[in-house]
Coordinates of all heavy atoms in Angstrom, one line a residue:
M133 N 4.4 -2.3 -8.4 CA 3.7 -1.2 -7.7 C 4.1 -1.2 -6.2 O 4.4 -2.3 -5.7 CB 2.1 -1.5 -7.8 CG 1.7 -1.7 -9.2 SD 0.4 -0.6 -9.8 CE -0.5 0.1 -8.4
T134 N 4.1 -0.1 -5.6 CA 4.4 0.0 -4.2 C 3.3 0.7 -3.4 O 2.4 1.3 -4.0 CB 5.7 0.8 -4.0 OG1 5.5 2.2 -4.3 CG2 6.9 0.3 -4.8
D135 N 3.4 0.6 -2.1 CA 2.4 1.3 -1.3 C 2.8 2.7 -0.9 O 2.1 3.3 -0.1 CB 2.1 0.4 0.0 CG 1.4 -0.9 -0.4 OD1 0.6 -0.9 -1.3 OD2 1.6 -1.8 0.4
D136 N 3.9 3.1 -1.3 CA 4.5 4.4 -1.0 C 3.6 5.5 -1.6 O 3.5 5.6 -2.9 CB 5.9 4.6 -1.5 CG 6.5 5.9 -1.1 OD1 5.9 6.7 -0.4 OD2 7.7 6.1 -1.6
D137 N 2.9 6.3 -0.8 CA 2.1 7.4 -1.4 C 2.7 8.7 -1.2 O 2.0 9.7 -1.2 CB 0.7 7.3 -0.8 CG 0.7 7.5 0.7 OD1 1.8 7.6 1.3 OD2 -0.4 7.5 1.3
T138 N 4.0 8.8 -1.1 CA 4.7 10.1 -1.1 C 4.4 10.9 -2.3 O 4.5 10.4 -3.4 CB 6.2 9.9 -1.0 OG1 6.5 9.0 0.1 CG2 7.0 11.2 -0.8
P139 N 4.0 12.1 -2.1 CA 3.6 12.9 -3.3 C 4.8 13.0 -4.2 O 5.9 13.3 -3.8 CB 3.2 14.3 -2.8 CG 3.1 14.1 -1.3 CD 3.8 12.9 -0.9
G140 N 4.7 12.8 -5.5 CA 5.7 13.0 -6.5 C 5.2 13.6 -7.7 O 4.1 14.2 -7.7
R141 N 6.0 13.6 -8.7 CA 5.6 14.1 -10.0 C 5.2 13.0 -10.9 O 5.9 12.1 -11.1 CB 6.8 14.9 -10.5 CG 6.5 15.8 -11.6 CD 7.7 16.7 -11.8 NE 7.9 16.9 -13.2 CZ 8.9 17.4 -13.8 NH1 9.9 17.8 -13.0 NH2 9.0 17.5 -15.0
D142 N 4.0 13.1 -11.4 CA 3.5 12.0 -12.3 C 4.0 12.3 -13.7 O 4.3 13.4 -14.0 CB 1.9 12.0 -12.3 CG 1.3 11.5 -11.1 OD1 2.0 10.8 -10.3 OD2 0.1 11.7 -10.9
H143 N 4.1 11.2 -14.4 CA 4.5 11.3 -15.8 C 3.5 10.5 -16.6 O 3.3 9.3 -16.3 CB 5.9 10.8 -15.9 CG 6.5 11.0 -17.3 ND1 6.8 12.2 -17.8 CD2 6.8 10.1 -18.2 CE1 7.3 12.1 -19.0 NE2 7.3 10.8 -19.3
L144 N 2.9 11.1 -17.6 CA 1.9 10.4 -18.4 C 2.6 9.9 -19.7 O 3.2 10.7 -20.5 CB 0.8 11.4 -18.8 CG -0.3 10.8 -19.6 CD1 -1.1 9.7 -18.8 CD2 -1.2 11.9 -20.0
L145 N 2.5 8.6 -19.9 CA 3.0 8.0 -21.2 C 1.8 7.4 -21.9 O 1.0 6.8 -21.3 CB 4.0 6.9 -20.8 CG 5.2 7.3 -20.0 CD1 6.0 6.0 -19.6 CD2 6.1 8.2 -20.7
V146 N 1.8 7.5 -23.2 CA 0.7 6.9 -24.0 C 1.3 5.9 -24.9 O 2.2 6.1 -25.6 CB 0.0 8.0 -24.8 CG1 -1.1 7.4 -25.6 CG2 -0.5 9.1 -23.9
T147 N 0.7 4.7 -24.8 CA 1.0 3.6 -25.7 C -0.2 3.5 -26.7 O -1.3 3.7 -26.3 CB 1.3 2.3 -25.0 OG1 0.1 1.9 -24.3 CG2 2.5 2.4 -24.1
V148 N 0.2 3.2 -27.9 CA -0.9 3.1 -28.9 C -0.7 1.8 -29.7 O 0.4 1.3 -29.9 CB -0.9 4.3 -29.9 CG1 -1.2 5.6 -29.2 CG2 0.4 4.4 -30.6
R149 N -1.9 1.2 -30.1 CA -1.8 0.0 -31.0 C -1.5 0.5 -32.4 O -2.2 1.2 -33.0 CB -3.2 -0.7 -30.9 CG -3.1 -2.0 -31.6 CD -4.2 -3.0 -31.3 NE -5.5 -2.4 -31.0 CZ -6.5 -3.1 -30.5 NH1 -6.4 -4.4 -30.5 NH2 -7.6 -2.6 -30.2
R150 N -0.4 -0.1 -32.9 CA 0.1 0.3 -34.2 C -0.5 -0.5 -35.3 O -0.4 -0.1 -36.5 CB 1.6 0.2 -34.2 CG 2.3 1.2 -33.3 CD 2.2 2.6 -33.9 NE 3.0 3.5 -33.0 CZ 2.8 4.7 -32.9 NH1 1.8 5.3 -33.6 NH2 3.5 5.5 -32.2
N151 N -1.0 -1.7 -35.0 CA -1.5 -2.6 -36.0 C -2.5 -3.6 -35.5 O -2.6 -3.7 -34.2 CB -0.4 -3.3 -36.8 CG 0.5 -4.1 -35.9 OD1 0.0 -4.9 -35.1 ND2 1.8 -4.0 -36.0
G152 N -3.1 -4.3 -36.3 CA -4.1 -5.3 -35.8 C -3.6 -6.4 -35.1 O -4.3 -7.2 -34.5
R153 N -2.3 -6.6 -35.1 CA -1.7 -7.8 -34.3 C -1.7 -7.6 -32.8 O -1.7 -8.5 -32.1 CB -0.2 -8.0 -34.7 CG 0.0 -8.4 -36.1 CD 1.4 -8.8 -36.4 NE 2.3 -7.9 -35.7 CZ 3.3 -7.1 -36.2 NH1 3.5 -7.2 -37.5 NH2 4.1 -6.4 -35.5
G154 N -1.8 -6.3 -32.4 CA -1.8 -6.0 -31.0 C -3.0 -6.5 -30.3 O -4.2 -6.5 -30.8
A155 N -2.8 -7.1 -29.1 CA -4.0 -7.5 -28.3 C -4.8 -6.4 -27.9 O -4.4 -5.2 -28.0 CB -3.5 -8.3 -27.0
A156 N -6.0 -6.6 -27.4 CA -6.9 -5.6 -26.9 C -6.3 -4.8 -25.8 O -5.4 -5.3 -25.1 CB -8.2 -6.2 -26.5
A157 N -6.7 -3.5 -25.6 CA -6.1 -2.7 -24.6 C -6.2 -3.2 -23.2 O -5.3 -3.2 -22.4 CB -6.7 -1.3 -24.7
A158 N -7.4 -3.8 -22.9 CA -7.6 -4.4 -21.5 C -6.6 -5.5 -21.2 O -6.0 -5.6 -20.1 CB -9.0 -4.9 -21.4
T159 N -6.3 -6.3 -22.2 CA -5.4 -7.4 -22.0 C -4.0 -6.8 -22.0 O -3.1 -7.3 -21.1 CB -5.5 -8.4 -23.2 OG1 -6.8 -8.9 -23.3 CG2 -4.5 -9.5 -23.1
T160 N -3.7 -5.9 -22.8 CA -2.4 -5.3 -22.8 C -2.0 -4.5 -21.5 O -0.9 -4.6 -21.0 CB -2.2 -4.3 -24.0 OG1 -2.5 -5.1 -25.2 CG2 -0.9 -3.7 -24.1
V161 N -3.0 -3.9 -20.9 CA -2.8 -3.2 -19.6 C -2.3 -4.2 -18.6 O -1.3 -3.9 -17.8 CB -4.1 -2.5 -19.1 CG1 -4.0 -2.2 -17.6 CG2 -4.4 -1.3 -19.9
V162 N -2.9 -5.4 -18.5 CA -2.5 -6.4 -17.5 C -1.1 -6.8 -17.8 O -0.3 -6.9 -16.9 CB -3.5 -7.6 -17.6 CG1 -3.0 -8.7 -16.7 CG2 -4.9 -7.2 -17.1
R163 N -0.8 -7.1 -19.0 CA 0.6 -7.5 -19.4 C 1.6 -6.4 -19.1 O 2.7 -6.6 -18.5 CB 0.7 -7.9 -20.8 CG -0.1 -9.1 -21.1 CD -0.1 -9.4 -22.6 NE -0.8 -10.7 -22.9 CZ -1.2 -11.1 -24.0 NH1 -1.1 -10.2 -25.1 NH2 -1.8 -12.2 -24.2
L164 N 1.2 -5.1 -19.5 CA 2.1 -4.0 -19.3 C 2.4 -3.8 -17.8 O 3.6 -3.7 -17.4 CB 1.5 -2.7 -19.9 CG 2.2 -1.4 -19.8 CD1 3.5 -1.4 -20.6 CD2 1.3 -0.3 -20.3
L165 N 1.4 -3.7 -17.0 CA 1.6 -3.5 -15.6 C 2.4 -4.6 -14.9 O 3.2 -4.4 -14.0 CB 0.3 -3.2 -14.8 CG -0.4 -1.9 -15.2 CD1 -1.8 -1.9 -14.5 CD2 0.4 -0.7 -14.9
G166 N 2.2 -5.8 -15.4 CA 2.8 -7.0 -14.9 C 4.3 -7.1 -15.2 O 5.1 -7.6 -14.5
L167 N 4.7 -6.5 -16.3 CA 6.1 -6.5 -16.8 C 6.9 -5.3 -16.3 O 8.1 -5.3 -16.3 CB 6.2 -6.6 -18.3 CG 5.7 -7.9 -18.9 CD1 5.5 -7.8 -20.4 CD2 6.6 -9.0 -18.5
L168 N 6.2 -4.2 -15.9 CA 7.0 -3.0 -15.4 C 7.6 -3.3 -14.0 O 7.2 -4.2 -13.3 CB 6.0 -1.8 -15.2 CG 5.6 -1.2 -16.5 CD1 4.5 -0.2 -16.3 CD2 6.8 -0.5 -17.2
P169 N 8.7 -2.7 -13.7 CA 9.4 -2.9 -12.4 C 8.4 -2.7 -11.3 O 7.6 -1.8 -11.2 CB 10.5 -1.8 -12.4 CG 10.7 -1.5 -13.8 CD 9.4 -1.6 -14.5
A170 N 8.5 -3.6 -10.3 CA 7.6 -3.6 -9.1 C 7.8 -2.4 -8.3 O 6.8 -2.1 -7.5 CB 7.9 -4.9 -8.3
D171 N 8.9 -1.7 -8.3 CA 9.1 -0.5 -7.5 C 8.5 0.8 -8.1 O 8.5 1.8 -7.4 CB 10.6 -0.3 -7.2 CG 11.4 0.0 -8.4 OD1 10.9 -0.3 -9.5 OD2 12.5 0.5 -8.3
R172 N 7.9 0.7 -9.2 CA 7.2 1.8 -9.8 C 5.8 1.9 -9.4 O 5.0 1.0 -9.4 CB 7.3 1.7 -11.4 CG 8.6 2.0 -12.0 CD 8.9 3.4 -12.0 NE 10.2 3.7 -12.5 CZ 10.8 4.8 -12.5 NH1 10.2 5.9 -12.0 NH2 12.0 5.0 -12.9
V173 N 5.3 3.1 -9.0 CA 3.9 3.4 -8.7 C 3.3 3.9 -10.0 O 3.7 4.9 -10.6 CB 3.8 4.5 -7.6 CG1 2.3 4.8 -7.4 CG2 4.4 4.0 -6.3
C174 N 2.4 3.1 -10.5 CA 1.8 3.5 -11.8 C 0.3 3.0 -11.9 O -0.1 2.1 -11.2 CB 2.6 2.9 -13.0 SG 2.9 1.2 -12.9
T175 N -0.4 3.7 -12.8 CA -1.8 3.3 -13.1 C -1.9 3.4 -14.6 O -1.2 4.1 -15.3 CB -2.8 4.3 -12.4 OG1 -2.5 5.6 -12.9 CG2 -2.7 4.2 -10.9
A176 N -2.9 2.7 -15.1 CA -3.2 2.7 -16.5 C -4.6 2.8 -16.8 O -5.5 2.2 -16.1 CB -2.6 1.4 -17.2
E177 N -5.0 3.6 -17.9 CA -6.3 3.7 -18.3 C -6.4 3.3 -19.8 O -5.9 3.9 -20.7 CB -6.7 5.2 -18.3 CG -6.6 5.8 -16.9 CD -6.8 7.4 -17.0 OE1 -7.5 7.8 -17.9 OE2 -6.2 8.0 -16.1
P178 N -7.1 2.1 -20.0 CA -7.2 1.6 -21.4 C -8.3 2.3 -22.2 O -9.3 2.7 -21.6 CB -7.4 0.2 -21.3 CG -8.1 0.0 -19.9 CD -7.5 1.1 -19.1
A179 N -8.1 2.5 -23.5 CA -9.1 3.0 -24.4 C -9.1 2.0 -25.5 O -8.4 1.0 -25.4 CB -8.7 4.4 -24.9
Q180 N -9.8 2.2 -26.6 CA -9.8 1.2 -27.7 C -8.5 0.9 -28.3 O -8.1 -0.3 -28.3 CB -10.8 1.7 -28.8 CG -10.9 0.6 -29.8 CD -12.0 0.9 -30.8 OE1 -12.8 1.8 -30.6 NE2 -12.0 0.3 -31.9
D181 N -7.7 1.9 -28.7 CA -6.4 1.7 -29.3 C -5.3 2.4 -28.6 O -4.3 2.7 -29.3 CB -6.5 2.0 -30.8 CG -7.3 1.0 -31.6 OD1 -7.2 -0.2 -31.3 OD2 -8.1 1.5 -32.5
A182 N -5.5 2.7 -27.4 CA -4.5 3.5 -26.6 C -4.5 3.1 -25.1 O -5.6 2.7 -24.7 CB -4.6 5.0 -26.8
I183 N -3.4 3.3 -24.5 CA -3.3 3.2 -23.0 C -2.6 4.4 -22.5 O -1.5 4.7 -22.9 CB -2.6 1.9 -22.6 CG1 -3.3 0.7 -23.2 CG2 -2.4 1.8 -21.1 CD1 -2.4 -0.6 -23.1
R184 N -3.3 5.0 -21.5 CA -2.6 6.2 -20.8 C -2.0 5.6 -19.6 O -2.7 5.2 -18.6 CB -3.6 7.2 -20.5 CG -4.2 7.9 -21.8 CD -5.3 8.8 -21.4 NE -4.7 9.9 -20.6 CZ -5.1 11.1 -20.7 NH1 -6.1 11.5 -21.5 NH2 -4.6 12.1 -19.9
L185 N -0.7 5.6 -19.5 CA 0.1 5.0 -18.4 C 0.6 6.2 -17.6 O 1.4 7.0 -18.1 CB 1.2 4.1 -18.9 CG 2.1 3.6 -17.8 CD1 1.4 2.5 -17.0 CD2 3.3 2.9 -18.5
R186 N 0.3 6.3 -16.3 CA 0.8 7.3 -15.4 C 1.8 6.7 -14.4 O 1.4 5.8 -13.7 CB -0.4 8.0 -14.7 CG 0.0 9.2 -13.9 CD -1.2 9.8 -13.2 NE -2.2 10.2 -14.2 CZ -2.2 11.4 -14.7 NH1 -1.4 12.4 -14.4 NH2 -3.2 11.7 -15.5
V187 N 3.0 7.2 -14.5 CA 4.1 6.7 -13.6 C 4.5 7.8 -12.7 O 4.8 8.9 -13.1 CB 5.3 6.2 -14.5 CG1 6.4 5.6 -13.6 CG2 4.8 5.2 -15.5
E188 N 4.6 7.5 -11.4 CA 5.0 8.5 -10.5 C 6.6 8.6 -10.5 O 7.3 7.5 -10.5 CB 4.6 8.1 -9.0 CG 4.9 9.2 -8.0 CD 4.4 8.9 -6.7 OE1 3.2 8.7 -6.5 OE2 5.2 8.9 -5.7
L189 N 7.1 9.8 -10.6 CA 8.5 10.1 -10.7 C 9.0 10.8 -9.4 O 8.2 11.5 -8.8 CB 8.8 10.9 -11.9 CG 8.4 10.2 -13.2 CD1 8.8 11.2 -14.4 CD2 9.1 8.9 -13.4
D190 N 10.3 10.9 -9.2 CA 10.8 11.6 -8.1 C 11.2 13.1 -8.5 O 11.6 13.8 -7.7 CB 12.0 10.9 -7.5 CG 13.2 10.8 -8.4 OD1 13.2 11.5 -9.5 OD2 14.2 10.1 -8.1
G191 N 10.9 13.4 -9.8 CA 11.2 14.8 -10.3 C 12.5 15.0 -10.9 O 12.8 16.1 -11.5
T192 N 13.4 14.0 -11.0 CA 14.7 14.1 -11.6 C 14.6 13.7 -13.1 O 13.8 12.8 -13.4 CB 15.7 13.3 -10.9 OG1 15.4 11.9 -11.0 CG2 15.8 13.7 -9.4
E193 N 15.4 14.2 -13.9 CA 15.5 13.8 -15.3 C 16.0 12.3 -15.4 O 15.6 11.6 -16.3 CB 16.5 14.7 -16.1 CG 15.9 16.1 -16.4 CD 14.6 15.9 -17.2 OE1 14.6 15.2 -18.2 OE2 13.6 16.6 -16.9
A194 N 16.9 11.9 -14.5 CA 17.3 10.5 -14.5 C 16.2 9.6 -14.3 O 16.1 8.5 -14.9 CB 18.4 10.3 -13.5
D195 N 15.3 9.9 -13.4 CA 14.2 9.0 -13.1 C 13.2 9.0 -14.3 O 12.6 8.0 -14.6 CB 13.4 9.4 -11.8 CG 12.5 8.4 -11.3 OD1 12.8 7.2 -11.4 OD2 11.4 8.8 -10.8
R196 N 13.0 10.2 -14.9 CA 12.1 10.3 -16.0 C 12.7 9.4 -17.2 O 11.9 8.7 -17.8 CB 12.0 11.7 -16.5 CG 11.1 11.9 -17.7 CD 11.0 13.4 -18.0 NE 10.0 13.5 -19.1 CZ 10.3 14.2 -20.2 NH1 11.3 14.9 -20.3 NH2 9.4 14.2 -21.2
A197 N 14.0 9.5 -17.4 CA 14.6 8.7 -18.5 C 14.5 7.2 -18.1 O 14.3 6.4 -19.0 CB 16.1 9.1 -18.6
A198 N 14.7 6.9 -16.9 CA 14.6 5.5 -16.5 C 13.1 4.9 -16.7 O 13.0 3.8 -17.1 CB 15.0 5.3 -15.0
A199 N 12.1 5.8 -16.4 CA 10.8 5.3 -16.7 C 10.5 5.1 -18.1 O 9.9 4.1 -18.5 CB 9.8 6.4 -16.1
H200 N 11.0 6.0 -19.0 CA 10.8 5.8 -20.4 C 11.5 4.6 -20.9 O 11.0 3.8 -21.7 CB 11.4 7.0 -21.2 CG 10.4 8.1 -21.4 ND1 9.6 8.2 -22.5 CD2 10.1 9.2 -20.7 CE1 8.8 9.3 -22.4 NE2 9.1 9.9 -21.3
S201 N 12.7 4.4 -20.4 CA 13.5 3.2 -20.8 C 12.8 1.9 -20.3 O 12.7 0.9 -21.1 CB 14.9 3.3 -20.1 OG 15.6 2.1 -20.5
A202 N 12.2 1.9 -19.1 CA 11.5 0.7 -18.7 C 10.3 0.4 -19.5 O 10.0 -0.7 -19.9 CB 11.1 0.9 -17.2
V203 N 9.5 1.4 -19.9 CA 8.3 1.2 -20.7 C 8.7 0.7 -22.1 O 8.1 -0.2 -22.7 CB 7.5 2.5 -20.8 CG1 6.3 2.3 -21.8 CG2 6.9 2.8 -19.4
R204 N 9.8 1.3 -22.7 CA 10.3 0.9 -24.0 C 10.7 -0.6 -23.9 O 10.4 -1.4 -24.9 CB 11.4 1.7 -24.5 CG 10.9 3.1 -25.0 CD 12.1 3.8 -25.7 NE 11.6 5.1 -26.0 CZ 11.9 6.2 -25.3 NH1 12.7 6.1 -24.2 NH2 11.5 7.4 -25.6
R205 N 11.4 -1.0 -22.9 CA 11.8 -2.4 -22.7 C 10.6 -3.3 -22.7 O 10.6 -4.4 -23.3 CB 12.7 -2.5 -21.4 CG 14.1 -2.7 -21.7 CD 14.9 -3.1 -20.4 NE 14.5 -2.6 -19.2 CZ 14.8 -1.4 -18.7 NH1 15.6 -0.6 -19.4 NH2 14.3 -1.0 -17.5
V206 N 9.6 -2.9 -21.9 CA 8.4 -3.8 -21.7 C 7.7 -3.9 -23.0 O 7.3 -5.0 -23.4 CB 7.5 -3.2 -20.6 CG1 6.2 -3.8 -20.7 CG2 8.2 -3.4 -19.2
L207 N 7.6 -2.8 -23.8 CA 6.9 -2.8 -25.1 C 7.6 -3.6 -26.1 O 7.0 -4.0 -27.1 CB 6.6 -1.4 -25.6 CG 5.6 -0.6 -24.8 CD1 5.5 0.8 -25.2 CD2 4.2 -1.3 -24.9
A208 N 8.9 -3.9 -25.9 CA 9.7 -4.8 -26.8 C 9.3 -6.2 -26.6 O 9.7 -7.1 -27.4 CB 11.2 -4.5 -26.6
D209 N 8.7 -6.6 -25.5 CA 8.3 -8.0 -25.2 C 7.3 -8.4 -26.3 O 6.4 -7.7 -26.6 CB 7.7 -8.0 -23.8 CG 7.5 -9.5 -23.4 OD1 6.6 -10.1 -23.9 OD2 8.3 -9.9 -22.5
R210 N 7.5 -9.7 -26.7 CA 6.6 -10.2 -27.8 C 5.1 -10.2 -27.3 O 4.2 -10.2 -28.2 CB 7.1 -11.6 -28.2 CG 8.4 -11.5 -28.9 CD 8.8 -12.8 -29.5 NE 7.8 -13.3 -30.4 CZ 7.9 -13.2 -31.8 NH1 8.9 -12.5 -32.3 NH2 6.9 -13.7 -32.5
A211 N 4.9 -10.3 -26.1 CA 3.5 -10.3 -25.6 C 2.8 -9.0 -25.9 O 1.6 -9.0 -25.8 CB 3.5 -10.6 -24.1
L212 N 3.6 -8.0 -26.1 CA 3.0 -6.6 -26.4 C 3.2 -6.2 -27.8 O 3.2 -5.0 -28.2 CB 3.6 -5.6 -25.4 CG 3.3 -5.9 -24.0 CD1 4.0 -5.0 -23.1 CD2 1.8 -5.8 -23.7
D213 N 3.4 -7.2 -28.7 CA 3.6 -7.0 -30.1 C 2.4 -6.2 -30.7 O 1.2 -6.4 -30.4 CB 3.7 -8.3 -30.9 CG 4.1 -8.2 -32.3 OD1 4.9 -7.2 -32.6 OD2 3.7 -9.0 -33.1
G214 N 2.7 -5.2 -31.5 CA 1.7 -4.3 -32.0 C 1.5 -3.0 -31.3 O 0.8 -2.1 -31.7
W215 N 2.0 -2.9 -30.1 CA 1.9 -1.7 -29.2 C 3.2 -1.0 -29.2 O 4.3 -1.6 -29.2 CB 1.4 -2.1 -27.8 CG 0.0 -2.5 -27.8 CD1 -0.5 -3.8 -28.0 CD2 -1.1 -1.7 -27.5 NE1 -1.8 -3.8 -27.9 CE2 -2.3 -2.5 -27.5 CE3 -1.3 -0.4 -27.2 CZ2 -3.5 -2.1 -27.3 CZ3 -2.6 0.1 -26.9 CH2 -3.7 -0.7 -27.0
A216 N 3.2 0.4 -29.1 CA 4.4 1.2 -29.1 C 4.1 2.4 -28.3 O 3.0 2.9 -28.1 CB 4.8 1.6 -30.5
L217 N 5.2 3.0 -27.8 CA 5.1 4.3 -27.0 C 4.9 5.4 -28.0 O 5.5 5.5 -29.1 CB 6.5 4.5 -26.3 CG 6.5 5.6 -25.3 CD1 5.5 5.5 -24.2 CD2 7.9 5.8 -24.8
D218 N 3.9 6.2 -27.7 CA 3.5 7.3 -28.6 C 4.7 8.3 -28.5 O 5.5 8.3 -27.6 CB 2.2 7.9 -28.1 CG 1.6 8.8 -29.2 OD1 2.1 8.9 -30.3 OD2 0.6 9.5 -28.9
G219 N 4.7 9.3 -29.4 CA 5.8 10.2 -29.5 C 5.7 11.4 -28.6 O 6.5 12.3 -28.7
W220 N 4.8 11.4 -27.7 CA 4.7 12.6 -26.8 C 4.4 12.1 -25.3 O 4.0 11.0 -25.1 CB 3.6 13.6 -27.2 CG 2.3 13.0 -27.2 CD1 1.6 12.3 -28.1 CD2 1.3 13.1 -26.1 NE1 0.4 11.9 -27.7 CE2 0.2 12.4 -26.5 CE3 1.4 13.6 -24.8 CZ2 -0.9 12.2 -25.6 CZ3 0.3 13.5 -24.0 CH2 -0.8 12.8 -24.4
A221 N 4.6 13.0 -24.4 CA 4.3 12.7 -23.0 C 4.0 14.0 -22.3 O 4.4 15.1 -22.8 CB 5.4 12.0 -22.3
L222 N 3.3 13.9 -21.2 CA 3.1 15.1 -20.4 C 3.6 14.8 -19.0 O 3.4 13.7 -18.5 CB 1.6 15.4 -20.3 CG 0.8 15.8 -21.5 CD1 -0.7 15.8 -21.2 CD2 1.3 17.1 -22.0
D223 N 4.2 15.8 -18.4 CA 4.5 15.8 -17.0 C 3.4 16.5 -16.2 O 3.0 17.5 -16.6 CB 5.8 16.6 -16.7 CG 7.0 15.8 -17.1 OD1 7.0 14.5 -17.0 OD2 8.0 16.4 -17.5
V224 N 2.9 15.8 -15.2 CA 1.8 16.4 -14.4 C 2.3 16.6 -13.0 O 2.8 15.7 -12.4 CB 0.6 15.4 -14.4 CG1 -0.5 16.0 -13.6 CG2 0.1 15.1 -15.8
R225 N 2.1 17.8 -12.5 CA 2.5 18.2 -11.2 C 1.2 18.2 -10.3 O 0.4 19.1 -10.4 CB 3.1 19.5 -11.1 CG 4.5 19.5 -11.7 CD 5.2 20.8 -11.4 NE 6.6 20.7 -11.9 CZ 6.9 21.1 -13.2 NH1 6.0 21.5 -14.0 NH2 8.2 21.0 -13.5
P226 N 1.0 17.1 -9.5 CA -0.3 17.0 -8.8 C -0.6 18.1 -7.9 O -1.8 18.4 -7.7 CB -0.1 15.7 -8.0 CG 1.1 15.0 -8.6 CD 1.9 16.0 -9.3
E227 N 0.4 18.8 -7.4 CA 0.2 19.8 -6.4 C -0.5 21.0 -7.0 O -1.2 21.8 -6.3 CB 1.5 20.2 -5.7 CG 2.5 20.9 -6.6 CD 3.4 19.9 -7.3 OE1 3.2 18.7 -7.1 OE2 4.3 20.4 -8.0
D228 N -0.3 21.3 -8.3 CA -1.0 22.5 -8.9 C -1.8 22.1 -10.1 O -2.5 23.0 -10.6 CB 0.0 23.5 -9.2 CG 1.1 23.1 -10.2 OD1 0.9 22.0 -10.9 OD2 2.0 23.8 -10.4
G229 N -1.9 20.9 -10.5 CA -2.7 20.4 -11.6 C -2.3 20.9 -13.0 O -2.9 20.6 -13.9
R230 N -1.1 21.6 -13.1 CA -0.6 22.0 -14.3 C 0.1 20.9 -15.1 O 0.6 20.0 -14.5 CB 0.3 23.2 -14.2 CG -0.3 24.4 -13.6 CD 0.7 25.5 -13.5 NE 1.9 25.1 -12.7 CZ 3.1 25.6 -12.8 NH1 3.3 26.5 -13.6 NH2 4.0 25.1 -12.1
T231 N 0.1 21.1 -16.4 CA 0.9 20.1 -17.2 C 1.9 20.9 -18.0 O 1.7 22.1 -18.3 CB -0.1 19.3 -18.2 OG1 -0.7 20.2 -19.0 CG2 -1.1 18.5 -17.4
E232 N 2.9 20.2 -18.4 CA 3.9 20.7 -19.3 C 4.1 19.7 -20.5 O 4.3 18.6 -20.2 CB 5.3 20.9 -18.6 CG 5.3 21.9 -17.5 CD 6.6 21.9 -16.8 OE1 7.5 21.2 -17.2 OE2 6.7 22.6 -15.8
E233 N 4.0 20.2 -21.7 CA 4.3 19.3 -22.8 C 5.7 19.2 -23.0 O 6.5 20.1 -22.8 CB 3.6 19.9 -24.1 CG 2.1 19.7 -24.1 CD 1.5 19.9 -25.4 OE1 2.1 19.4 -26.4 OE2 0.5 20.6 -25.5
N234 N 6.1 17.9 -23.4 CA 7.5 17.6 -23.7 C 7.7 17.0 -25.0 O 6.9 16.3 -25.4 CB 8.1 16.7 -22.6 CG 8.2 17.4 -21.3 OD1 8.7 18.5 -21.2 ND2 7.7 16.8 -20.2

């Protein structure tokens, strides 16, 4: 996480618990945020069997792809066994509150 509060484009990623082996969402959030690159500005909202992870992006497709790749790498860690990236994501533009499905 960084202290840079430059307005950017948020990207919402959802991770879901795929099976009973996965740790509770609250535990997984701590592990997930701890394993993500330190230069990413992100927040997470745990639910019972899902985590909504919001990652700030610079608006480029390369940065979006890098964010997805980083989350996939982290979810491959054995500490997050049972959790996976859901098949959808939303881009959120904070300046106008609109979303675009991808």
Side-chain angles (χ1 to χ4, degrees):
M133 307 237 336
T134 70
D135 292 328
D136 182 6
D137 60 359
T138 305
R141 198 165 136 188
D142 287 341
H143 186 69
L144 181 66
L145 304 172
V146 178
T147 60
V148 294
R149 187 165 26 189
R150 295 286 186 206
N151 58 48
R153 292 186 326 235
T159 302
T160 302
V161 163
V162 173
R163 291 175 178 163
L164 179 64
L165 293 176
L167 292 169
L168 285 170
D171 63 339
R172 288 283 177 187
V173 176
C174 52
T175 58
E177 301 170 27
Q180 182 173 345
D181 288 321
I183 298 167
R184 296 174 63 145
L185 176 68
R186 188 178 300 268
V187 180
E188 186 176 303
L189 301 178
D190 66 10
T192 65
E193 284 301 315
D195 194 40
R196 180 175 184 230
H200 271 272
S201 179
V203 172
R204 283 189 188 100
R205 253 189 327 275
V206 167
L207 289 171
D209 189 286
R210 293 189 56 99
L212 298 172
D213 190 31
W215 287 85
L217 188 61
D218 198 6
W220 66 273
L222 293 173
D223 283 327
V224 179
R225 291 189 174 88
E227 65 274 4
D228 62 12
R230 292 182 307 156
T231 61
E232 295 176 4
E233 287 196 43
N234 292 310

